Amino acid sequence: MSDECKTTGFTPQQVARWPNVHKHLCGTLELPTLDSVSEEVILNIGEGIESMLKSEGPTPKQLKARAGLFRHLKRTLEHRFKNAELQQFGSSQSGLTLQAGDLDLCLQFKGDIPAKALRQVNRILKQHDMEDIVMLPRAKVPIIKFKDERTKIPVDISINNTLALHNTELLKRYSACDERIRSVILAVKHWANRRDVSDAASGTFSSYAWTLLAVQALQQTTPPVAPVLQEGQERSMVEVEGTTYDLTMREVDSITMDPKNNQSLGELFVEFIFKYAASWPFKDQVVSVRTGSPVTRKSKKWKHATPKAEKAVLMEKKTRLGQHSLPIEDPFDLKHDLSRVLRPAGALDIQEEFIRACLAMGDGGRWDAIVEAKNPERFVPVAEFDLFEDLRKKSKEEVATLLSENATAIEALDERMNALTEERKHNVRMSRALRGTIEDTTELRNELRTIVRTLRPRSKEMDKLQTTRDEINKRIGLPLYRIEELLTDVYKQLTGEIDLFQVPSLRREEDQFSWFFELQAMHAEATKAQEAHKAFIALLKEQKDAVRSLKANEKEQQKHKAELLESEPMLKDMDLNFSDAMQFDKKAHKLLKVIDQRRTELRRLRREKGRLDAWVRISSNPSRSSNRHGNKGGGKRGGGQKRTKSGSADWKPRNNGPRPEDVQQRAASGGTLSLTDLDVLLNSGGLSTVTKKQPSPKASRRQERKKKVNARNLTPHRGERSQSRKGRKD
Ligand code: CTP
Ligand code: MG
């Protein structure tokens, strides 16, 4: 007996994965009404969102790390592509970002995009130790995805993604219209992410699509919370990559929402869920932020192609979902439906999550339950990154050893790189020289080939003529001139006047006639032999000329080769042919790969040097070695650590009690002093120092400022100080 559902055809596993969608398809699903959601639930959801915004928003440290990563990539890529600018877009630019968001960057080329630009970016990223690099060159907009090796920040770099820069601006303006718009969008993104329905790469909506769904819902409240920013009399038509788009966008300042919507955050989020769960606009409508309300599928000619999700999941695993399944119109690229990325299971997952949240809200569910992680392992907090974690346990001497080993390794690698670079240059030079000479001598070599090609047939023809001539001569035995003399004689005899006293006998006359005819036949043959001989002589001359040209040609080629050898003596034993040049090319290419690997290694070593140097600076200045670089316990370490022989305790950041200057100042101003203060005072020169060392308020301010600057300078920076000038050039 089959386990599949008779109505839907779902397997038990599919029913377990989409229980509510399954009920809906069977016609047994009952959804609560919006009115049935209790005040308490709404309040709890509102509070949940507020606290989520605080806990899930990017921390200043994360923002700083993102900004640092962006600066690093910008400097690197703009150095490589002189006609391009790296720009930020997406949530990091629109302000609609949570900790889970990625860094969306776009390499905008002014003019032509260089061939294989994405591959070149890939190479650079590899050299900079980026992780999990995936290239999508055939995507609508070519894109490369990766993670920063150090901070693990996920990054997308697309090429000439001009429209994305505009739609980012649009979203930025929407979120500036009303604080609740930003909050609801972030709540929706958070919920979708926790419920695993926000990843275009695995067949669900992108964060961007969720943002548009949220904006549309806020445009549809009564009265609307969000305006329609793309309306207006004056249209702004802009050509982007050969297509004209309507990029009209109203200024936020020009908008007043009247009457104003006063719904709470909780209410708005609940309404968002109910709007999509209950009325499922995708049935016959297309979500359209551009117009402020869904437009009909018919007007866009976006019919839901087959198979639909519930049928496609029953087919083979790789069955594609019919186009325009849950259609969302891009605000500017009106032909672009954001549901294009959906896979059958993804579309059902989305519907399931809407229904699940809706049922939970009707059932008194709390915010935490609504956004409960579907796959908690995805949300295991990553331990805070401590750049100096391994060094904290090391003694001064150990760190010094590391530094010296690092310097030796850098020096050795530097030299190896120089040798490799020279070797590569040599190969490139040889290939170029060879190719250049080959090209210079191409005509000569073509000519030579033509001459050589005529030699053999001509020689054959000469042999033939010679054989013909010799055979005839052998057969006839008389040369042509002699035959002609005899012919004349016989002819004269036969046709001359007859001496009446010596009339030839009939027999003799017959013999003479016969001899005459024989001579005639011999003459024809001998003429042939002579013609053959003449032709032979002519060919012989041609052959001689050809050989002479050959010699001249070879001489000319030798001259070119000699010139080449003068510049490249190592080509001495080489033939001038393309396969040799290709060998050099191949070698140069292989060397380039090795050089690339070494360069990456060198960069790593230089970065390590920067890190070690920074640690030496920080740890030799204990007052500053507190928790600046992710040292979770650094600042809280006890003050009683004593210097050990190895110096390891002294090496750690410490709190050494009150500073002598502070105590002196306090004593001078008549403040109270503790026993510890007195101890510090006595150890630092006693009371006599109090009046002398009192700093003027101006000087102390200057000192403070200087300290701040120094503190800033001690921060290890990505790329800049951790790479040498030479390294930066790479
Ligand atoms: N984008 C687009 N078309 C898409 C997907 C994305 O134009 N089909 C652009 C949008 O400009 C969007 C940006 O890419 O703002 C980033 O997309 P995404 O990372 O999905 O959205 P974010 O708002 O950045 O979300 P997150 O914070 O989760 O990264
Ligand atoms: Mg993003």
Side-chain angles (χ1 to χ4, degrees):
M1 203 183 79
S2 159
D3 288 342
E4 287 145 18
C5 166
K6 293 210 170 46
T7 316
T8 59
F10 277 17
T11 62
Q13 289 84 358
Q14 287 171 329
V15 174
R17 179 167 176 180
W18 303 297
N20 295 309
V21 173
H22 183 252
K23 274 189 202 159
H24 166 69
L25 292 170
C26 293
T28 54
L29 179 74
E30 266 185 45
L31 285 176
T33 58
L34 186 55
D35 298 340
S36 68
V37 182
S38 71
E39 274 302 315
E40 201 202 334
V41 166
I42 291 173
L43 202 69
N44 170 268
I45 288 175
E47 284 167 3
I49 294 175
E50 296 283 11
S51 97
M52 179 279 293
L53 292 176
K54 284 192 195 112
S55 62
E56 298 295 321
T59 63
K61 199 167 166 186
Q62 284 164 338
L63 290 175
K64 201 172 154 198
R66 281 188 201 184
L69 178 58
F70 172 62
R71 271 200 310 276
H72 170 61
L73 291 168
K74 187 173 171 69
R75 195 172 44 229
T76 311
L77 292 176
E78 288 181 5
H79 179 80
R80 171 66 191 78
F81 301 103
K82 296 282 185 250
N83 64 336
E85 190 187 345
L86 192 72
Q87 297 183 21
Q88 291 193 64
F89 67 99
S91 60
S92 61
Q93 195 61 11
S94 61
L96 293 166
T97 190
L98 292 173
Q99 286 174 19
D102 57 4
L103 187 59
D104 299 290
L105 306 175
C106 161
L107 199 56
Q108 286 291 117
F109 283 90
K110 304 169 197 102
D112 289 343
I113 305 176
K116 298 180 187 157
L118 214 57
R119 269 209 221 166
Q120 294 186 48
V121 174
N122 186 14
R123 214 181 115 209
I124 295 169
L125 295 176
K126 273 191 192 156
Q127 284 171 2
H128 284 258
D129 281 343
M130 296 301 166
E131 283 176 355
D132 306 339
I133 307 176
V134 181
M135 274 204 291
L136 303 170
R138 274 183 283 278
K140 189 170 160 272
V141 176
I143 197 166
I144 188 160
K145 292 170 159 290
F146 59 94
K147 254 191 210 153
D148 175 40
E149 163 261 350
R150 210 188 284 176
T151 57
K152 309 291 172 206
I153 297 174
V155 187
D156 280 6
I157 297 184
S158 42
I159 291 185
N160 276 18
N161 202 354
T162 317
L163 275 190
L165 299 174
H166 291 283
N167 63 40
T168 295
E169 174 61 25
L170 181 75
L171 297 181
K172 192 174 176 179
R173 290 193 193 181
Y174 270 116
S175 71
C177 289
D178 187 316
E179 183 55 31
R180 290 172 300 169
I181 299 180
R182 182 174 167 273
S183 303
V184 171
I185 291 175
L186 290 177
V188 168
K189 276 167 72 165
H190 177 71
W191 164 74
N193 183 32
R194 301 274 297 176
R195 300 302 303 164
D196 270 4
V197 283
S198 177
D199 180 19
S202 51
T204 52
F205 278 139
S206 62
S207 266
Y208 176 56
W210 282 112
T211 306
L212 295 176
L213 286 178
V215 172
Q216 177 91 100
L218 295 170
Q219 287 171 324
Q220 295 265 282
T221 52
T222 325
V225 177
V228 184
L229 286 182
Q230 289 172 266
E231 61 188 13
Q233 289 300 312
E234 271 184 42
R235 310 306 296 173
S236 156
M237 309 302 288
V238 178
E239 193 181 309
V240 178
E241 318 267 321
T243 309
T244 304
Y245 295 96
D246 183 348
L247 299 184
T248 308
M249 231 185 282
R250 288 168 68 193
E251 293 291 341
V252 178
D253 295 347
S254 69
I255 292 162
T256 35
M257 300 301 284
D258 193 20
K260 192 171 166 20
N261 177 305
N262 290 316
Q263 283 175 283
S264 70
L265 211 49
E267 279 176 302
L268 293 174
F269 186 77
V270 171
E271 248 191 71
F272 165 81
I273 294 289
F274 271 74
K275 175 178 165 51
Y276 292 104
S279 59
W280 201 244
F282 308 108
K283 242 185 343 245
D284 44 18
Q285 288 174 322
V286 175
V287 170
S288 168
V289 166
R290 171 183 60 102
T291 54
S293 55
V295 295
T296 60
R297 275 180 179 270
K298 213 170 162 191
S299 69
K300 287 217 62 115
K301 299 200 180 97
W302 280 5
K303 202 174 152 214
H304 190 338
T306 51
K308 293 193 174 174
E310 60 271 23
K311 292 284 177 242
V313 289
L314 305 178
M315 300 175 186
E316 266 183 49
K317 231 183 172 178
K318 281 190 180 147
T319 303
R320 293 179 74 130
L321 181 59
Q323 266 196 338
H324 306 305
S325 49
L326 313 180
I328 304 175
E329 177 196 75
D330 184 89
F332 295 127
D333 185 359
L334 306 189
K335 286 188 187 143
H336 182 201
D337 173 5
L338 290 157
S339 74
R340 209 176 67 153
V341 293
L342 296 183
R343 292 195 204 135
L348 293 186
D349 282 344
I350 291 169
Q351 192 172 9
E352 179 66 33
E353 286 310 323
F354 271 124
I355 303 174
R356 175 190 171 274
C358 179
L359 290 171
M361 286 169 179
D363 207 23
R366 321 281 297 168
W367 167 255
D368 289 347
I370 291 167
V371 296
E372 187 189 359
K374 193 166 172 188
N375 282 308
E377 68 276 15
R378 273 187 56 223
F379 300 92
V380 177
V382 187
E384 225 185 286
F385 179 69
D386 178 1
L387 187 60
F388 302 117
E389 192 177 9
D390 54 330
L391 301 179
R392 293 185 193 284
K393 295 176 213 109
K394 295 204 187 309
S395 68
K396 208 170 190 169
E397 287 76 16
E398 280 172 319
V399 176
T401 311
L402 284 179
L403 255 170
S404 119
E405 281 171 4
N406 174 281
T408 317
I410 288 181
E411 202 180 321
L413 199 54
D414 238 343
E415 275 183 20
R416 179 89 189 91
M417 284 273 294
N418 285 342
L420 284 167
T421 313
E422 275 313 308
E423 197 182 338
R424 181 170 177 271
K425 270 190 202 157
H426 165 73
N427 278 281
V428 171
R429 224 176 33 234
M430 295 284 265
S431 161
R432 279 200 191 135
L434 214 50
R435 277 173 195 280
T437 315
I438 291 167
E439 264 155 38
D440 281 355
T441 54
T442 302
E443 261 182 42
L444 279 176
R445 285 166 338 115
N446 284 347
E447 190 187 307
L448 184 92
R449 227 171 284 137
T450 320
I451 299 172
V452 171
R453 245 184 254 134
T454 62
L455 287 182
R456 188 174 273 270
R458 191 183 294 118
S459 171
K460 262 190 186 169
E461 185 62 24
M462 280 166 68
D463 284 350
K464 231 161 91 186
L465 289 169
Q466 201 174 11
T467 316
T468 313
R469 181 197 67 188
D470 291 351
E471 268 179 4
I472 295 173
N473 287 345
K474 205 169 149 196
R475 229 181 318 118
I476 297 170
L478 288 173
L480 184 63
Y481 76 92
R482 186 70 196 115
I483 295 171
E484 280 172 353
E485 278 172 11
L486 286 171
L487 260 176
T488 319
D489 285 352
V490 179
Y491 181 76
K492 271 185 194 159
Q493 282 171 23
L494 284 172
T495 56
E497 279 193 15
I498 300 169
D499 181 353
L500 286 174
F501 300 101
Q502 276 189 352
V503 176
S505 67
L506 186 63
R507 181 166 171 75
R508 184 172 153 72
E509 208 164 343
E510 275 175 4
D511 282 349
Q512 266 184 327
F513 265 111
S514 153
W515 177 224
F516 182 76
F517 288 130
E518 202 176 320
L519 280 171
Q520 256 189 337
M522 282 165 71
H523 186 266
E525 283 292 289
T527 311
K528 260 193 217 163
Q530 198 188 35
E531 273 165 11
H533 179 67
K534 269 190 196 160
F536 173 81
I537 296 294
L539 286 183
L540 186 67
K541 189 178 174 299
E542 270 180 35
Q543 197 77 328
K544 272 187 189 163
D545 287 348
V547 172
R548 212 172 295 128
S549 311
L550 264 186
K551 282 191 180 152
N553 185 300
E554 269 165 9
K555 213 166 157 186
E556 188 72 9
Q557 283 201 49
Q558 284 300 332
K559 204 177 109 198
H560 276 277
K561 193 166 176 177
E563 278 167 15
L564 169 66
L565 283 177
E566 219 167 283
S567 61
E568 293 300 337
M570 294 195 61
L571 288 173
K572 195 167 149 241
D573 301 321
M574 304 240 115
D575 285 337
L576 295 183
N577 59 42
F578 272 106
S579 72
D580 280 334
M582 265 160 69
Q583 288 301 328
F584 283 119
D585 285 347
K586 269 189 198 162
K587 250 192 195 163
H589 190 68
K590 264 192 196 161
L591 281 166
L592 183 66
K593 276 195 177 167
V594 180
I595 291 169
D596 268 357
Q597 285 165 1
R598 298 275 191 278
R599 193 172 281 154
T600 308
E601 215 174 307
L602 193 60
R603 211 171 267 137
R604 213 173 286 153
L605 283 170
R606 287 195 178 129
R607 231 171 19 224
E608 178 63 2
K609 180 182 179 316
R611 188 179 79 104
L612 292 170
D613 281 343
W615 176 245
V616 170
R617 282 197 301 272
I618 291 166
S619 50
S620 61
N621 191 344
S623 63
R624 228 181 265 126
S625 55
S626 58
N627 193 14
R628 282 186 61 93
H629 303 283
N631 171 18
K632 285 156 265 166
K636 290 190 186 130
R637 273 170 226 260
Q641 287 181 31
K642 290 248 158 61
R643 177 188 279 272
T644 63
K645 219 167 181 193
S646 68
S648 60
D650 201 34
W651 202 233
K652 287 171 192 157
R654 295 188 307 167
N655 175 6
N656 281 332
R659 295 188 311 161
E661 309 91 86
D662 294 343
V663 181
Q664 282 163 3
Q665 212 173 344
R666 217 163 332 127
S669 60
T672 51
L673 297 178
S674 67
L675 278 176
T676 322
D677 291 341
L678 274 176
D679 194 29
V680 169
L681 201 57
L682 287 171
N683 284 338
S684 64
L687 283 165
S688 56
T689 57
V690 170
T691 41
K692 270 187 261 164
K693 289 190 180 170
Q694 217 183 98
S696 73
K698 210 172 171 184
S700 91
R701 238 179 287 134
R702 212 179 307 131
Q703 259 178 359
E704 278 305 312
R705 243 199 329 265
K706 202 169 164 193
K707 240 179 275 157
K708 266 189 200 162
V709 171
N710 282 343
R712 250 182 272 136
N713 288 343
L714 285 176
T715 318
H717 282 247
R718 180 191 292 276
E720 260 168 359
R721 266 189 304 280
S722 57
Q723 279 176 20
S724 74
R725 281 192 176 284
K726 206 168 166 195
R728 243 182 292 154
K729 262 186 213 154
D730 301 334

